[in-house]
Amino acid sequence: MYRNEKKGPKRGVALYSYSAEFGFEKTLEDCFEDVHDMGAHGIEILANIHIENYPYPTQAWVDKWFGLLDKYELEPVEYGHWVDSHVLQYRDLTTEESVEFLCRDMRLAHRLGFRIMRTKMPVINELLEPVENWRDIIRGALPLAEELDLILCPEIHIPSNLKGKMVQEYVGFIQETGTKHFALNIDFSVFRTKFEEGEWRDPAFTPNEPEDIIPLLPYVACCHAKYFHVDENFQETHVPYEKILTILKDHGWDWYLLSEYEGADKYDPGYEVGQMLRRHHILMKNILGD
């Protein structure tokens, strides 16, 4: 299976970007071919969308999966999934049931060659703070994460504050346990500085400064390189990419940037996913010096 040995920030694509096309105009192989063609090597999937017969794919599908990874020189980077404590209508899952739910996905992620999981837990408020027993859920899953060498990552997304309580509690958990198997996925929406006229904006959100990510870098195992519009000059008009990527490069951050496109209907009527992704990867190549 392909592994990207390049040092420094690496380029990949979250297949969520193809949501408007996947299953309609594009198959999984079409998406892989597109990512390969733009010179990227990493992918993120959403397990319940991109895995046929999830959570129990056939061995034939798994064999095809690895064949496509080899054919297009792609590395399975991040496995996107949910610990859905609210899956039952009449009650929440217990901590033990949530751990079992998580471990099922961990085994499947490992089977498909992933090393990082975007582990999204139910939230309790508009600040995206997780359920109160999140520590117990993660502690219960850590032994299997260690056995399978997986890293579980909550996603830090707008309107989160990188200096705020939630992020500091995640970092504190890592420091307290000393684990190498729990980390952060920083979504670049937290750096967003521009909103369109009439577009709703969360009143709790104040854009983070690019420098706010520096003290978190030892705990960041992946980034959603969120973008909203890349213009004809290969500039992202809503997120300060030059500053962010320069910080990651200069600090020797050695993980994947996964392009995640968000904005099709609002910013680019009639857009083509492939075209916008290519612009985004040219933008990143120009900054990173690939």
Side-chain angles (χ1 to χ4, degrees):
M1 183 171 57
Y2 181 86
R3 292 296 187 192
N4 189 350
E5 301 299 330
K6 173 187 176 291
K7 297 299 182 184
K10 304 164 181 57
R11 293 183 294 109
V13 174
L15 296 193
Y16 169 80
S17 302
Y18 293 97
S19 292
E21 298 179 356
F22 181 75
F24 300 97
E25 293 93 351
K26 278 184 165 50
T27 64
L28 186 65
E29 181 166 5
D30 292 332
C31 296
F32 279 23
E33 183 177 15
D34 210 33
V35 174
H36 172 80
D37 191 52
M38 66 185 73
H41 291 288
I43 57 165
E44 178 197 53
I45 65 169
L46 296 179
N48 63 328
I49 300 297
H50 299 114
I51 299 175
E52 190 175 288
N53 297 319
Y54 167 82
Y56 305 111
T58 64
Q59 187 57 47
W61 187 90
V62 174
D63 292 342
K64 180 180 179 181
W65 163 264
F66 282 107
L68 291 176
L69 291 175
D70 289 340
K71 180 178 180 179
Y72 295 106
E73 297 182 322
L74 295 178
E75 179 173 2
V77 174
E78 189 171 54
Y79 175 103
H81 72 118
W82 292 260
V83 180
D84 191 357
S85 298
H86 306 315
V87 68
L88 301 178
Q89 292 184 353
Y90 58 93
R91 66 170 177 86
D92 286 351
L93 297 182
T94 65
T95 296
E96 292 74 19
E97 289 169 331
S98 295
V99 171
E100 182 179 350
F101 204 92
L102 173 52
C103 287
R104 182 201 66 188
D105 270 287
M106 291 165 64
R107 293 185 181 95
L108 180 53
H110 178 71
R111 183 182 177 193
L112 299 181
F114 288 93
R115 295 186 293 185
I116 299 171
M117 301 178 70
R118 187 229 56 192
T119 300
K120 186 169 285 189
M121 289 172 283
V123 300
I124 59 174
N125 56 36
E126 293 181 355
L127 297 177
L128 306 183
E129 293 178 344
V131 288
E132 293 183 2
N133 64 335
W134 71 264
R135 293 175 182 82
D136 296 328
I137 295 172
I138 298 301
R139 279 196 184 95
L142 280 181
L144 183 61
E146 293 170 3
E147 177 186 334
L148 301 180
D149 196 19
L150 289 168
I151 304 174
L152 312 178
C153 293
E155 180 182 16
I156 310 304
H157 192 282
I158 191 172
S160 300
N161 185 329
L162 295 184
K163 296 179 179 179
K165 171 178 173 285
M166 179 180 71
V167 175
Q168 296 310 309
E169 287 183 350
Y170 285 146
V171 170
F173 179 85
I174 297 169
Q175 293 172 338
E176 171 193 334
T177 60
T179 183
K180 302 294 184 184
H181 299 278
F182 184 74
L184 306 176
N185 173 329
I186 304 296
D187 185 285
F188 286 179
S189 62
V190 299
F191 301 110
R192 185 177 179 182
T193 57
K194 178 183 176 183
F195 292 80
E196 302 302 311
E197 183 177 351
E199 181 181 2
W200 182 82
R201 175 175 179 170
D202 193 313
F205 177 63
T206 300
N208 294 269
E209 296 295 331
E211 293 78 11
D212 293 341
I213 199 174
I214 294 174
L216 299 177
L217 289 179
Y219 313 106
V220 178
C222 194
C223 284
H224 274 164
K226 178 68 60 61
Y227 65 101
F228 299 86
H229 175 75
V230 181
D231 65 21
E232 295 81 357
N233 298 313
F234 309 110
Q235 298 295 313
E236 215 295 334
T237 58
H238 297 69
V239 178
Y241 259 85
E242 182 82 34
K243 290 183 179 180
I244 299 166
L245 296 197
T246 298
I247 285 171
L248 297 180
K249 180 181 177 182
D250 290 350
H251 284 78
W253 187 76
D254 194 26
W255 301 86
Y256 264 96
L257 298 161
L258 297 166
S259 297
E260 190 177 51
Y261 185 47
E262 194 163 299
D265 297 331
K266 295 177 184 174
Y267 314 115
D268 300 296
Y271 80 108
E272 294 181 6
V273 170
Q275 179 190 44
M276 195 56 63
L277 277 170
R278 280 170 171 75
R279 286 187 186 181
H280 186 237
H281 278 264
I282 291 171
L283 176 158
M284 292 199 292
K285 286 168 68 175
N286 288 344
I287 298 170
L288 297 174
D290 285 357

